Amino acid sequence: NGIWLNSNFDHECAPLLLNRAGATPDPPTPGDTSFTLANNMCPLPAGSYYVSQEFGVHGHRGIDLSTSKTPGIPVYAVQAGTVALVQAWDGHTLTDNQSWGNMILINHGVTNGVTYTTRYAHLATVPSFSVGQALGKGTQLSTAGTTGNSTGIHLHLEVTANGTLVNPRNYVPI
């Protein structure tokens, strides 16, 4: 029953929900780690990217956020979670798991009975985190890159709900 708007707050895109009367609802509780569109943050700084590939188009598993060939754009965790997997690209293989290039998978735990994960792929550098390590919302993971099976500098973002790929736009303010 509301209207979603995106607002720019430094390095995140925070959604702003206005009710029909125009009043702003209370912001999420500080430290709230529920995995919801209203509580998650954008993985790239506002104004630093455009969507170059949507979820589901031609079987695409996530959403691609292109940085217009600009290197060094930081990639942030959209919500607190635990590192489930870190992958280093071998520098030449473009198939199977190596197609992701440098990648990190984060488990965000359970919200309303659903377990959520996010995958950040094609990163410029290998994320310097260990499996099992807890990360806070907004932790810089790496920078957008073009490692693995990639044709330009971008972030490939995936979201799963109970192991099923879902449209990131439903959970991340892009």
Side-chain angles (χ1 to χ4, degrees), residues 28-34 39 79-80 137:
T29 305
D32 183 358
T33 59
S34 58
N39 195 38
Q79 186 51 262
K137 175 181 173 179

Side-chain angles (χ1 to χ4, degrees), residues 96-155:
D96 300 321
N97 288 340
Q98 285 288 303
S99 69
W100 301 121
N102 297 322
M103 180 272 297
I104 187 168
L105 180 70
I106 300 174
N107 183 326
H108 299 285
V110 179
T111 298
N112 298 323
V114 178
T115 300
Y116 291 97
T117 67
T118 50
R119 179 187 314 267
Y120 308 79
H122 307 301
L123 302 172
T125 59
V126 179
S128 59
F129 304 102
S130 302
V131 171
Q133 184 173 350
L135 300 178
K137 175 181 173 179
T139 300
Q140 185 173 343
L141 305 173
S142 180
T143 58
T146 186
T147 59
N149 191 0
S150 170
T151 58
I153 301 171
H154 72 287
L155 169 67

Side-chain angles (χ1 to χ4, degrees), residues 6 13-15 36-37 40-43 49 78 168-169 171-174:
N6 274 336
C13 307
T36 64
L37 182 62
N40 295 337
M41 64 177 276
C42 187
Y49 68 91
V78 302
R169 284 189 181 273
Y171 300 92
V172 179
I174 296 171

